[in-house]
Amino acid sequence: MDAQSRGRANDIDPADQWVLNPRTGNYELQLDRSAAQQRPSVTAPRRSSSARPGAPAAPKAPSPAVPGPRRGDGPPGRRGGRPRKGGAGGGRRKRILVVTGGTLAFLLVAGSVGAYLYYDHLNSNLNVTDVGDAGSGGFKKDQPINILVIGTDKRSGAGNEGYGDAESVGHADTTILFHVSKDRSNATALSIPRDLITNIPACPTKQPDGSTKTIPGQKGTRFNVSLGQEGRDPGCTMRTVKEITGVTVDNFMMVDFNAVKVLSTAVGGVPVCLAKPVDDKDSKLKLDAGEHRLQGEQALAFVRTRHSFGNHGDLDRIKTQQQFLGSMMREMKSKETLTSPKKFFSLAEAATKSLTVDSGIGSIDKLTSLAGELKDIDLKNITFTTLPVLDNPAEPEGKKATVVVDQRVADPLLKMIQGDVSLTEVEQKEQAAKDAADAEARSKADALLQGNRAPAGDVRVDVYNGGGPGGAASSTLNWLQNSKGVNKASNRGNAPAKVDATQLEYAPNQADQARALADMMGLPATALKMGPADAAPKTPMKLTLGADFKGAGVSLTAPQKAPEEIQRAEADKAVCAK
């Protein structure tokens, strides 16, 4: 539904006619100059509280020159001209929605989530894909959130004929795993290079007739073919990311070339800085050194150029894209955007028309709920980084085109993400309080871990699933028995209650068994809970797998500091592209 069908007349956007009156805190209809000479501005008419949703507004406009707001044309905070419930509290709710609107800007598509509440028809703009069990089943309010953001190079949309592969259905051209901490204080945006050589697992995909087709896996291929090629859907990319990172993705968001163009235009341009002039014949980007505000085709050329910065490769293009996303986040959270109804209307339309999501977040209400989880994260606590990689050793010197994971640097970084450890300086007071609370428990447990360890065959333990993945107790039992020689372990099924963190309960005379099991499983010292009295002979310890448990053999001991070698950039800092 375009602007004209939503009430535009004589090239006047309805969003331009609604302005915030700072004296009253209400949005009011501001006429153009010719109409304003005849009539003053008119506060939006109110409906009775019993009016049906979608029914015509009860009060009529005083004349044809001053139309009442139509459904979808009302001011932010109103739907079809009807005020929301709550009376005087409405102004506060509008401010909350405005703040929500800027929190997903880094996703390129959700900067206007607050505006979603104003339009029912935005639901129909969304493209929704059923990815089956590729993800976790959806984000949860009391757990970390992992959203996979996929930028595809599919040549859809007017003006995109010159980009991407002419006959391609699209690849995973730009992919970011966005991890939000459990306490919502920080986030990490991990870029995955498109030319990474990896294994793509077998992928069940939904067909148009409702059936499911499993696309065979592929070993030793580029990451970007995890989408589009051979019929793979975004669920295949989600499964591939889990195999690479060990992180289960909750939901995905996918955009194409148009998203960059329309969103950068809707926000009024994205500020960027260039350390040197650029004249790239491939991307058609031509800019002088210094600061620029880019939108539309220029913005797309900036994020797609591969020959203007650094070593003219994809890894430096990733840095440029991260700089652009950080700038877009700052722009969308700026006062100029948050107080502009016109920008909100434009962003809402542009975002939803550019967006494909999974069914878990396939409605405006669900996207708004997701935005609510992220709205309080400070930009200084959002870090962009890239999966550490090396040149592919299988390729000859001088012809390096692909990369492989640098496990030495990547492993500790991925363990930090898996362990929900921030890469940024979160609120110092909160962190200090948490550290102090954990210090005593750690010191006691660390002391216990210094003693002797029992042989694997002497370790007795009952395994319970208290919040881990489905079947975690069974898979852990098999791993302990078959891989570690712990033959006196038993699967006790689900725990009586769920726990956030995995814990091992043991008696003082079982300390040697506890040390051995903690070593095998990579349990942190804080997971060990010693009881007050010795246990009877042959009494098993109790291992409860918590919500932090990722799988048998996956260590729960996460590093507390990121490797010095990783590439990183904070979302609140402007950096000039070099």
Side-chain angles (χ1 to χ4, degrees):
M1 185 177 294
D2 61 21
Q4 291 185 351
S5 62
R6 289 186 289 113
R8 175 179 285 185
N10 300 323
D11 294 325
I12 299 175
D13 190 323
D16 289 332
Q17 297 175 282
W18 291 101
V19 297
L20 182 66
N21 185 330
R23 181 173 54 82
T24 65
N26 294 323
Y27 281 88
E28 299 177 356
L29 183 65
Q30 180 68 53
L31 305 181
D32 58 53
R33 291 186 177 180
S34 61
Q37 291 173 356
Q38 302 172 34
R39 298 181 184 277
S41 62
V42 180
T43 302
R46 296 179 177 269
R47 292 182 183 171
S48 66
S49 59
S50 61
R52 287 185 300 107
K60 293 184 178 180
S63 79
V66 190
R70 301 181 187 181
R71 181 176 178 81
D73 287 341
R78 307 274 177 86
R79 176 181 170 191
R82 185 180 71 248
R84 295 192 176 275
K85 295 180 181 180
R92 179 176 179 274
R93 275 190 291 277
K94 279 186 273 189
R95 287 192 294 273
I96 292 174
L97 295 178
V98 163
V99 173
T100 303
T103 58
L104 291 180
F106 61 90
L107 297 180
L108 279 181
V109 293
S112 57
V113 168
Y116 290 160
L117 297 183
Y118 312 146
Y119 298 102
D120 282 342
H121 83 264
L122 291 182
N123 269 314
S124 64
N125 285 348
L126 292 170
N127 296 306
V128 182
T129 297
D130 184 356
V131 295
D133 62 354
S136 67
F139 76 91
K140 299 173 179 61
K141 291 182 176 295
D142 59 346
Q143 295 298 325
I145 298 175
N146 295 294
I147 304 294
L148 191 65
V149 186
I150 307 171
T152 174
D153 59 2
K154 185 176 180 180
R155 291 178 15 155
S156 59
N160 293 327
E161 296 81 3
Y163 300 104
D165 298 330
E167 304 301 325
S168 175
V169 293
H171 300 79
D173 189 60
T174 299
T175 305
I176 296 175
L177 175 62
F178 192 77
H179 170 82
V180 181
S181 67
K182 180 180 178 179
D183 65 5
R184 309 297 187 254
S185 69
N186 64 89
T188 299
L190 177 73
S191 293
I192 300 177
R194 54 166 290 163
D195 296 322
L196 174 71
I197 295 298
T198 188
N199 297 328
I200 299 175
C203 178
T205 60
K206 295 287 184 179
Q207 302 301 300
D209 63 0
S211 63
T212 299
K213 175 184 177 182
T214 298
I215 301 172
Q218 191 171 351
K219 294 185 178 296
T221 189
R222 273 181 166 90
F223 169 78
N224 69 338
V225 304
S226 65
L227 176 71
Q229 311 310 298
E230 300 184 30
R232 294 188 178 96
D233 65 9
C236 301
T237 309
M238 294 169 70
R239 296 175 193 272
T240 306
V241 167
K242 180 179 180 180
E243 178 146 320
I244 294 170
T245 65
V247 176
T248 299
V249 178
D250 296 309
N251 303 98
F252 85 86
M253 293 180 169
M254 184 171 69
V255 295
D256 59 19
F257 292 139
N258 276 337
V260 178
K261 295 197 293 186
V262 298
L263 288 171
S264 60
T265 300
V267 79
V270 176
V272 300
C273 175
L274 277 66
K276 62 180 182 180
V278 170
D279 187 0
D280 183 359
K281 293 180 175 57
D282 290 336
S283 68
K284 308 297 189 295
L285 181 67
K286 186 174 182 179
L287 296 169
D288 295 330
E291 297 182 356
H292 301 269
R293 183 173 286 270
L294 305 183
Q295 59 182 295
E297 293 290 345
Q298 268 197 326
L300 180 58
F302 181 80
V303 299
R304 284 196 52 79
T305 181
R306 295 168 64 104
H307 308 294
S308 300
F309 308 110
N311 63 5
H312 296 190
D314 188 58
L315 297 180
D316 283 291
R317 184 179 71 147
I318 288 174
K319 295 178 184 178
T320 303
Q321 292 169 345
Q322 292 173 351
Q323 293 164 12
F324 183 86
L325 289 172
S327 183
M328 179 174 276
M329 293 169 67
R330 295 191 296 274
E331 190 67 17
M332 287 186 173
K333 295 194 77 170
S334 70
K335 180 179 179 181
E336 288 75 13
T337 299
L338 295 180
T339 58
S340 170
K342 177 181 179 180
K343 288 185 178 180
F344 258 34
F345 275 63
S346 299
L347 284 168
E349 287 290 334
T352 52
K353 287 181 177 178
S354 302
L355 185 59
T356 298
V357 298
D358 62 276
S359 51
I361 51 174
S363 71
I364 300 307
D365 285 345
K366 292 175 181 177
L367 283 172
T368 303
S369 178
L370 174 59
E373 293 295 305
L374 311 185
K375 67 183 176 65
D376 293 327
I377 302 178
D378 195 308
L379 291 182
K380 70 181 180 181
N381 290 330
I382 298 176
T383 299
F384 290 100
T385 188
T386 303
L387 182 70
V389 294
L390 299 168
D391 285 336
N392 186 353
E395 294 177 334
E397 290 297 330
K399 294 185 178 180
K400 301 290 187 182
T402 60
V403 294
V404 296
V405 176
D406 182 354
Q407 299 292 168
R408 181 185 64 84
V409 184
D411 283 352
L413 171 62
L414 294 176
K415 284 180 180 178
M416 290 183 72
I417 296 175
Q418 295 163 7
D420 198 25
V421 178
S422 173
L423 297 186
T424 61
E425 295 297 329
V426 295
E427 294 296 332
Q428 295 298 319
K429 291 182 179 179
E430 294 180 6
Q431 190 65 34
K434 181 179 182 298
D435 291 345
D438 291 343
E440 184 176 356
R442 273 202 307 270
S443 62
K444 290 180 180 178
D446 284 340
L448 289 169
L449 286 174
Q450 299 308 310
N452 296 326
R453 284 146 178 78
D458 292 346
V459 174
R460 296 177 183 271
V461 62
D462 287 342
V463 183
Y464 295 82
N465 189 352
S474 176
S475 62
T476 299
L477 176 66
N478 291 335
W479 179 76
L480 286 172
Q481 292 180 337
N482 298 325
S483 299
K484 296 298 180 181
V486 182
N487 300 316
K488 297 174 183 177
S490 301
N491 174 12
R492 297 302 182 184
N494 291 331
K498 291 187 175 182
V499 295
D500 290 335
T502 296
Q503 57 187 34
L504 176 63
E505 300 173 69
Y506 65 100
N509 61 337
Q510 296 172 323
D512 58 343
Q513 296 182 50
R515 296 183 195 110
L517 190 61
D519 278 353
M520 295 177 201
M521 297 191 63
L523 299 179
T526 51
L528 276 62
K529 313 292 181 184
M530 187 175 70
D534 285 348
K538 298 185 179 181
T539 300
M541 300 180 292
K542 181 180 178 181
L543 174 65
T544 304
L545 307 176
D548 62 340
F549 185 75
K550 306 302 180 185
V554 179
S555 174
L556 293 178
T557 306
Q560 298 301 303
K561 185 177 180 181
E564 294 293 335
E565 301 99 311
I566 69 167
Q567 173 266 328
R568 59 194 297 170
E570 280 69 43
D572 67 322
K573 294 182 175 63
V575 179
C576 288
K578 300 179 180 179

